[in-house]
Amino acid sequence: MAENQSYNKDWSPSKRSAGIKQSIGVGKLPPQAVDLEEAVLGALMIEKDALTAVVDILKPDSFYKDAHKVIYDAILELFNKSEPIDLLTVTNQLRKNGKLEIAGGAYYITELTSRVSSAANIEYHARIITEQAMKRDMIRISSEIQRDAYEDTTDVFELLDKMESSLFEISESNIRKNYSDMKSIMREAILELEGKKGQKDGLTGVPSGFTALDRVTSGWQKADLVIIAARPAMGKTAFVLSVLRNAAVDHNRPVAIFSLEMSSVQLVNRLISSEAELDSEKIKKGNLADYEWEQLIHKTSKLSSAPLFVDDTPALTILELRAKCRRLKAQSDIQMIVIDYLQLMSGDSKAGGGGNREQEISSISRSLKMIAKELSVPVIALSQLSRAVETRGGDKRPQLSDLRESGAIEQDADIVMFLYRPEYYGITEDEDGNSTAGVGEVIIAKHRNGSLENVKLRFIGKYTKFCDLEMNVPYQPQEALYGNKFPSSVGGGNSFDENTTIRLQSKANGNDDSFPGGFGNNEPAPF
């Protein structure tokens, strides 16, 4: 008996309850606001204009009780048909849908209207309901992530992207941007114009460093997807490296390049050749004289401290790219992203199974535009052109239909630029009789927010760089580089002097813009 009394004393009902909870786990209800759900539904049925205040806040899934979801669905149906919303019409609509009993019957709907007297605080109540729904969604996502994280077959990067996308989707779907009146929009526009007034040379985006090009684009603009396309040997990589160098070194803008073809060291070697103005072939072989070493160290000091990030992950997927770009934006506040080049990227592994390459490229270009908009930075993607350019007669200028593998690239891009060097096709003079030696053209074929123009730049092949055409840069013609062994007809035939030694450039060495057919006399490639 004493033992029983001792037991009862130590284990009072409250303590026994606590012990049971500890042993089986504390029960929890999902976040909810059922009383407010009832008040909102009742208010919607007693005031005809109440729905307009909450229709962009509440969705059927925002309600916790299934009966309330069904009732709100019926209210939305009446609203879409421009019919009156009240106790009788809602009850009748539920009866038509065969869901009156699921909604609790006519008596329950009558009870809802008796719980409120007006719709005075309906918007405030609706926001609380939405917040509870967001909490439930976050609990659901967390549970799914936890479950998938325990699976050995789960790809961690796909799981990370799924988590980020799901959370972003919750915020986007529930926190809608409200409309703005003209007065507030005008005030915002005027403030933005005042800020732009102090910008040097009218640049409102990330400068390209090319005066004529910046005059047309005002710099690379936030949230823009820029496609730079060309045939091999036009100097795509040389162009974007010049752009990156100008932004990072001259303007101290943090920029990133994702190189899927060349290694980071090969890219840096090109930058060193361009910055120090040393022959790219000498850089590759390391055949530098003492004074050239001094020139290299002196001229590349700024380059080594520039905020330029290089990622040379091969076969990069769009999921990995998105995760890395988000991280770079958060940690280093990057202002521009470059992908070299688009056709070497891989789409989502789950979506890629049975789809064709065109659909995959469409998905990639769409994702690049989303990344640009999400991070509010310009994304520049290099792209190959189809061989239709080579088979076409005339001056072989590229056009939008030459974009390879997908018309979606043209559709998603804000700017489409082509790089074109007439000298490559054996064209020595332009239509005005000016020499094309060392001239590269940037053809702006699509410009969503500006004009379409052709911008001429100076291409210095042995330094793998572009610069303004007006700059006083000594140019060495191709005949001087190749001697008398230069092809007699670059665009048409491939006739060489019989004593010429052909040396093919390997893409494995990073020469993505190598001259087709090689070079004679062991002369360096000019691009």
Side-chain angles (χ1 to χ4, degrees):
M1 185 70 179
E3 290 179 1
N4 291 338
Q5 287 177 350
S6 174
Y7 175 86
N8 292 335
K9 182 180 178 181
D10 293 338
W11 287 88
S12 62
S14 60
K15 288 186 177 181
R16 285 200 302 270
S17 176
I20 292 170
K21 286 182 178 179
Q22 286 178 357
S23 63
I24 65 173
V26 179
K28 292 183 178 180
L29 282 174
Q32 55 184 287
V34 176
D35 53 341
L36 293 181
E37 291 180 10
E38 293 172 348
V40 166
L41 291 174
L44 291 176
M45 288 186 284
I46 63 174
E47 290 196 16
K48 63 176 183 177
D49 296 327
L51 184 60
T52 57
V54 298
V55 70
D56 60 339
I57 301 173
L58 287 178
K59 300 178 298 181
D61 288 339
S62 302
F63 292 88
Y64 177 69
K65 285 188 68 173
D66 289 337
H68 295 168
K69 294 179 183 179
V70 171
I71 295 170
Y72 189 67
D73 259 329
I75 291 173
L76 290 179
E77 284 186 61
L78 292 170
F79 179 75
N80 290 332
K81 293 187 289 187
S82 301
E83 293 183 7
I85 299 169
D86 56 35
L87 170 64
L88 296 178
T89 56
V90 172
T91 305
N92 188 51
Q93 184 64 43
L94 286 167
R95 190 177 287 111
K96 282 183 180 179
N97 296 342
K99 296 181 178 179
L100 184 57
E101 294 305 316
I102 298 174
Y107 178 76
Y108 181 71
I109 297 170
T110 305
E111 282 289 307
L112 290 177
T113 59
S114 66
R115 292 174 187 248
V116 289
S117 58
S118 73
N121 300 315
I122 189 170
E123 187 173 347
Y124 179 74
H125 293 161
R127 293 194 182 279
I128 294 176
I129 294 170
T130 301
E131 288 173 7
Q132 301 304 313
M134 291 173 68
K135 289 179 181 179
R136 293 197 299 272
D137 283 339
M138 286 188 279
I139 291 171
R140 174 183 54 80
I141 290 168
S142 301
S143 300
E144 291 175 357
I145 295 297
Q146 186 178 23
R147 182 197 64 208
D148 293 342
Y150 279 107
E151 294 290 334
D152 293 336
T153 57
T154 301
D155 184 278
V156 67
F157 296 107
E158 288 186 5
L159 184 60
L160 182 63
D161 184 75
K162 176 185 176 183
M163 180 179 67
E164 291 177 344
S165 300
S166 299
L167 292 174
F168 183 73
E169 185 180 343
I170 291 175
S171 63
E172 283 294 295
S173 61
N174 289 285
I175 306 176
R176 299 282 185 182
K177 182 182 177 183
N178 204 356
Y179 61 85
S180 302
D181 57 45
M182 195 61 186
K183 185 176 181 180
S184 59
I185 298 173
M186 282 292 293
R187 188 185 302 115
E188 186 179 344
I190 295 298
L191 288 173
E192 188 174 327
L193 285 173
E194 288 177 352
K196 290 178 179 179
K197 185 173 65 175
Q199 295 289 339
K200 182 181 178 182
D201 298 329
L203 292 176
T204 58
V206 179
S208 70
F210 305 124
T211 307
L213 185 59
D214 283 337
R215 194 179 298 123
V216 179
T217 62
S218 298
W220 310 111
Q221 300 297 314
K222 292 179 180 179
D224 272 6
L225 173 60
V226 181
I227 300 294
I228 298 175
R231 288 292 294 156
M234 290 295 121
K236 295 187 298 297
T237 303
F239 177 79
V240 293
L241 285 180
S242 298
V243 166
L244 285 170
R245 180 262 165 213
N246 295 340
V249 176
D250 293 343
H251 300 277
N252 199 35
R253 300 289 188 97
V255 293
I257 179 171
F258 294 87
S259 177
L260 283 80
E261 186 169 34
M262 298 174 64
S263 71
S264 56
V265 174
Q266 289 168 338
L267 279 178
V268 170
N269 282 341
R270 283 196 171 200
L271 284 168
I272 290 173
S273 172
S274 170
E275 189 74 4
E277 296 188 339
L278 294 172
D279 197 306
S280 59
E281 190 72 8
K282 287 187 176 182
I283 295 289
K284 187 165 70 175
K285 293 181 177 179
N287 296 332
L288 299 177
D290 290 342
Y291 77 92
E292 289 174 322
W293 277 109
E294 293 180 9
Q295 179 178 334
L296 186 152
I297 294 169
H298 174 69
K299 287 195 172 185
T300 58
S301 57
K302 286 185 177 180
L303 184 63
S304 62
S305 59
L308 204 163
F309 304 90
V310 180
D311 188 305
D312 60 357
T313 305
L316 189 69
T317 67
I318 197 67
L319 298 179
E320 293 171 332
L321 176 69
R322 189 184 294 117
K324 290 183 177 187
C325 288
R326 285 171 178 160
R327 197 178 306 123
L328 280 168
K329 182 65 177 178
Q331 295 175 353
S332 305
D333 191 27
I334 54 170
Q335 302 295 304
M336 182 168 64
I337 298 166
V338 172
I339 293 98
D340 181 16
Y341 57 91
L342 191 148
Q343 276 80 11
L344 289 179
M345 288 195 68
S346 301
D348 188 347
S349 58
K350 290 184 178 179
N356 58 37
R357 181 59 178 165
E358 183 176 341
Q359 291 173 337
E360 189 177 10
I361 292 294
S362 299
S363 174
I364 291 170
S365 67
R366 212 164 29 245
S367 298
L368 292 179
K369 175 60 183 175
M370 290 169 62
I371 291 171
K373 194 171 180 181
E374 179 186 340
L375 302 182
S376 190
V377 298
V379 172
I380 300 176
L382 302 189
S383 177
Q384 294 281 17
L385 291 178
S386 68
R387 290 191 177 91
V389 178
E390 309 295 339
T391 59
R392 201 163 44 235
D395 56 9
K396 302 184 186 297
R397 284 178 174 270
Q399 54 196 30
L400 287 172
S401 59
D402 297 324
L403 283 171
R404 188 172 167 185
E405 288 182 314
S406 178
I409 298 176
E410 175 189 346
Q411 176 183 324
D412 296 328
D414 296 279
I415 299 177
V416 177
M417 296 179 173
F418 297 121
L419 294 182
Y420 171 68
R421 292 193 299 111
E423 183 183 22
Y424 173 81
Y425 293 109
I427 301 171
T428 57
E429 291 184 350
D430 60 18
E431 57 273 10
D432 298 323
N434 300 317
S435 173
T436 61
V439 174
E441 287 188 40
V442 178
I443 303 170
I444 304 177
K446 178 186 177 182
H447 193 185
R448 186 164 284 159
N449 301 307
S451 59
L452 305 180
E453 296 187 28
N454 292 354
V455 175
K456 292 187 177 181
L457 301 174
R458 174 69 64 194
F459 176 65
I460 311 170
K462 64 178 180 177
Y463 300 151
T464 61
K465 69 185 289 188
F466 281 82
C467 60
D468 283 332
L469 187 65
E470 295 80 8
M471 291 183 68
N472 187 20
V473 179
Y475 172 71
Q476 198 172 5
Q478 294 193 22
E479 288 79 2
L481 286 172
Y482 308 133
N484 294 325
K485 313 301 182 183
F486 189 71
S488 61
S489 178
V490 179
N494 287 319
S495 57
F496 291 82
D497 185 280
E498 62 181 0
N499 296 320
T500 300
T501 300
I502 305 301
R503 179 165 54 84
L504 295 176
Q505 302 296 314
S506 170
K507 287 199 173 190
N509 293 327
N511 295 319
D512 63 322
D513 294 333
S514 57
F515 187 86
F519 305 95
N521 295 335
N522 292 324
E523 293 296 335
F527 30 79

